Amino acid sequence: MTDRVYPSSKQPTNGTAPTTTSAAAAANPSFPATKSQLYGASRPLYRPQTKRHRYRRSCCCSCCLWTTILILVLILLVAIAGAILYVLYRPHRPTFTVSSLKVSTLNVTSASKVITNIHLNVTAKNPNKKLVYIYDPITISLITNDEIDIGEGSLGSFVHGKKNTTLLKAAITSSNRQELDEASAGKLRSGLKSKKGLPLKIKLDTKVKAKMGTLKTPKVGIRVVCEGIKATAPKGKSATIASTSNAKCKVDLRLKIWKWTL
């Protein structure tokens, strides 16, 4: 009887025989995937960040700092220049006084229209020894204390010399189309009948610049407001003279952004 020989189930250990199982394991990885395999597949590659944003931020901070310093330096220089000019020229404000107010016509018609014919004299003084004022044409408004418009006038431009006193004369009239409402017309009529007189205000609006030697300042707006005037309506053809003994004038320097009171 012949003996049969069967192959052994053990895998050879010398590595010469084919390894079918190892090749299949390499081709098919373990399933499900491990955490390290998942994280390694989805995690992006690390790239070091540049410092460009820090550089931009430092540039902006430097620009802001230098701009602030420049503005402060300019303000300081302007203040120093102003102080020098003040010491050299000692500027003083001009003064205005109502010399006289002659009322030839002032009444209210039955149609609530104002008829005005008034002659105004204003005295302007420049107390400065080294400063000249140059005025643009002046607009005049005559109103009551209740802000009722009585009439308007104007003055031409003029040069106010050093230590000079100038008499300004103007005619104030009302427009034929000027018509008041019933309340304003009633107040004006009662004021004209009052024995104490009708309280009035005068407003002068213009622009002025100062001249110091060869140096000229920019033009600035000014408003002169004169209060304390009391007028009475004339009787017949004879004119009346308003009371101006208690009249006081105030000069306001009017700028675009703010207003100074001189």
Side-chain angles (χ1 to χ4, degrees), residues 200-214:
L200 298 176
K201 291 192 296 186
I202 298 173
K203 292 182 181 180
L204 309 177
D205 290 297
T206 185
K207 289 185 178 181
V208 63
K209 62 182 177 180
K211 181 180 178 182
M212 299 165 285
T214 58

Side-chain angles (χ1 to χ4, degrees), residues 9-144:
S9 61
K10 281 187 175 182
Q11 298 293 332
T13 58
N14 55 2
T16 57
T19 57
T20 307
T21 306
S22 299
N28 300 318
S30 61
F31 183 84
T34 62
K35 289 185 178 180
S36 60
Q37 290 174 340
L38 290 174
Y39 293 157
S42 61
R43 183 182 301 174
L45 295 177
Y46 173 76
R47 295 180 182 178
Q49 297 181 356
T50 61
K51 297 183 179 180
R52 185 177 301 175
H53 64 286
R54 294 183 181 179
Y55 175 74
R56 291 178 180 175
R57 184 181 300 174
S58 61
C59 287
C60 292
C61 292
S62 300
C63 291
C64 292
L65 177 61
W66 283 109
T67 302
T68 304
I69 293 174
L70 180 61
I71 293 174
L72 293 176
V73 170
L74 290 176
I75 292 174
L76 180 61
L77 292 176
V78 170
I80 293 173
I84 293 173
L85 290 175
Y86 180 81
V87 172
L88 291 177
Y89 294 98
R90 297 285 180 177
H92 296 280
R93 63 181 180 180
T95 60
F96 294 83
T97 306
V98 179
S99 303
S100 66
L101 187 72
K102 184 179 179 181
V103 182
S104 299
T105 306
L106 180 57
N107 58 47
V108 183
T109 66
S110 57
S112 298
K113 290 185 178 181
V114 181
I115 299 177
T116 306
N117 185 12
I118 296 174
H119 297 277
L120 171 67
N121 290 344
V122 176
T123 302
K125 293 182 180 180
N126 180 9
N128 296 282
K129 296 180 179 179
K130 301 179 180 180
L131 194 65
V132 176
Y133 290 115
I134 303 173
Y135 291 89
D136 280 358
I138 302 172
T139 301
I140 304 174
S141 300
L142 182 63
I143 59 176
T144 66

Side-chain angles (χ1 to χ4, degrees), residues 167-189:
L167 180 62
L168 307 174
K169 296 182 179 182
I172 299 176
T173 58
S174 59
S175 173
N176 293 329
R177 294 175 296 178
Q178 183 177 350
E179 186 174 346
L180 302 177
D181 57 79
E182 294 182 2
S184 298
K187 289 181 180 179
L188 188 54
R189 288 191 184 98

Side-chain angles (χ1 to χ4, degrees), residues 172-248:
I172 299 176
T173 58
S174 59
S175 173
N176 293 329
R177 294 175 296 178
Q178 183 177 350
E179 186 174 346
L180 302 177
D181 57 79
E182 294 182 2
S184 298
K187 289 181 180 179
L188 188 54
R189 288 191 184 98
S190 61
L192 291 173
K193 293 178 181 179
S194 174
K195 295 181 179 180
K196 295 181 180 180
L198 177 67
L200 298 176
K201 291 192 296 186
I202 298 173
K203 292 182 181 180
L204 309 177
D205 290 297
T206 185
K207 289 185 178 181
V208 63
K209 62 182 177 180
K211 181 180 178 182
M212 299 165 285
T214 58
L215 179 64
K216 292 182 180 180
T217 65
K219 290 182 181 181
V220 294
I222 65 169
R223 168 173 286 183
V224 182
V225 180
C226 300
E227 298 180 301
I229 304 168
K230 292 185 178 181
T232 56
K235 296 180 180 180
K237 296 182 179 180
S238 59
T240 58
I241 305 298
S243 174
T244 59
S245 58
N246 296 325
K248 294 182 180 180

